[in-house]
Amino acid sequence: VAQSFSLGLSQIPDVRCYSGARAMVCSQQSGGDEFQGKQTRRDILSHVGNVGAKAVVLGSVAVAAEANAEKAGPKLPEQEWDELLKSGRISKMAYNVLHNAATEKPGTSKLLKEKRKGLFKCAACETELFSSNTKFDSGTGWPSFYDKLPGVALETGNLADQLVMRTEVHCEKCGGHLGHVFEDGWIWSTPTNKRYCINGLSLTFTAAEA
C-alpha cells in the first residue's frame, strides 16, 4: 500500500510523493505519467541528500547521515546506454527504469506469471540476478524474490530510502536500477524475511534446460 508524504525541506518546494512497494513517485514531476518528467526519482533523492543528509533532526537529537557506501546509478558509459536503446535491446520504458530509476506500473509485468525454472537476468547486460527458486507471489504487482544472486548490489547510506525503510537494489555490473528490498518478508514467511520488489522491465528470463 502506497504511503503519501511530503519531503518538507525548506530548499525544495512541497513535493507530494508516494512510496511503498514502488519506487518513489512525486506528483510534481510525474504529471500522471511515471515515465515522463523533468526530474527522475534519483534526481529528487540526490537533491534531498544534498540538502538534508548532513544532519537530520529527530526530536532534539541530530543524527549524522553521511553516506559511506556504494551509490546506485548507471555504471555503463552513456554511449552504451544510448546504443542499447537505439538497437532495441531495451525499450524506452526499460531504459527509464534501468537508467533513470523509474517504476513500472503494478500488475503490468509478464514475469509476474512466470512459473518455469530458470534465471532472471539484467535486461541491459544479462548479468544473472535472481533464481526462480526464490520467486514468490507477493500480491504487490511486481515480481518478488526472497533472495538475490551475487549480481545484485545494494545501495546503502541513502537517507531518503532509510526513512521509508527500504534499500535500492541495482545490477552490480551495469548499475541499472532494479527496485528495492524490504525487510517485510515475514509477512509471506520467506526464509530470509526479505522481499526484493523488482521492476519486471529490468529483467529478462532464461528458462532452465529440460
Side-chain angles (χ1 to χ4, degrees):
V1 178
Q3 177 183 5
S4 174
F5 65 99
S6 173
L7 295 178
L9 296 174
S10 60
Q11 290 89 337
I12 305 177
D14 188 21
V15 180
R16 296 299 299 181
C17 299
Y18 297 86
S19 179
R22 313 173 65 169
M24 186 182 295
V25 178
C26 296
S27 59
Q28 186 182 50
Q29 75 171 90
S30 65
D33 187 341
E34 294 164 50
F35 296 111
Q36 296 179 4
K38 295 181 179 179
Q39 288 184 302
T40 66
R41 172 193 162 277
R42 185 169 285 132
D43 293 332
I44 292 173
L45 292 187
S46 176
H47 196 169
V48 172
N50 290 336
V51 173
K54 297 300 181 181
V56 177
V57 178
L58 301 176
S60 60
V61 180
V63 180
E66 294 293 340
N68 299 315
E70 181 173 3
K71 301 299 292 181
K75 295 180 180 179
L76 295 178
E78 288 301 306
Q79 183 177 356
E80 291 189 34
W81 283 104
D82 291 342
E83 182 57 32
L84 284 170
L85 184 59
K86 292 178 181 178
S87 66
R89 283 187 56 189
I90 59 175
S91 66
K92 183 177 180 181
M93 290 192 297
Y95 174 90
N96 280 327
V97 169
L98 288 159
H99 186 275
N100 299 332
T103 302
E104 70 189 14
K105 293 182 179 179
T108 58
S109 175
K110 296 179 180 179
L111 296 180
L112 284 168
K113 297 181 180 180
E114 182 57 71
K115 305 293 185 182
R116 294 174 294 173
K117 295 291 184 181
L119 292 171
F120 294 86
K121 302 178 181 181
C122 176
C125 67
E126 300 185 342
T127 296
E128 296 178 354
L129 303 174
F130 298 97
S131 167
S132 61
N133 293 331
T134 65
K135 187 174 183 287
F136 69 99
D137 183 5
S138 66
T140 59
W142 291 271
S144 299
F145 306 84
Y146 63 76
D147 206 355
K148 67 181 183 68
L149 296 177
V152 176
L154 276 64
E155 181 190 28
T156 54
N158 186 318
L159 176 61
D161 274 349
Q162 290 172 4
L163 291 175
V164 290
M165 296 179 289
R166 68 184 184 187
T167 300
E168 182 177 352
V169 292
H170 50 102
C171 176
E172 173 68 36
K173 183 177 180 181
C174 71
H177 173 76
L178 304 175
H180 295 85
V181 59
F182 298 83
E183 302 290 336
D184 61 3
W186 56 269
I187 297 174
W188 298 271
S189 300
T190 68
T192 60
N193 285 332
K194 297 181 184 297
R195 172 174 59 94
Y196 289 84
C197 186
I198 307 300
N199 291 284
L201 286 168
S202 67
L203 303 173
T204 61
F205 177 74
T206 301
E209 294 184 4

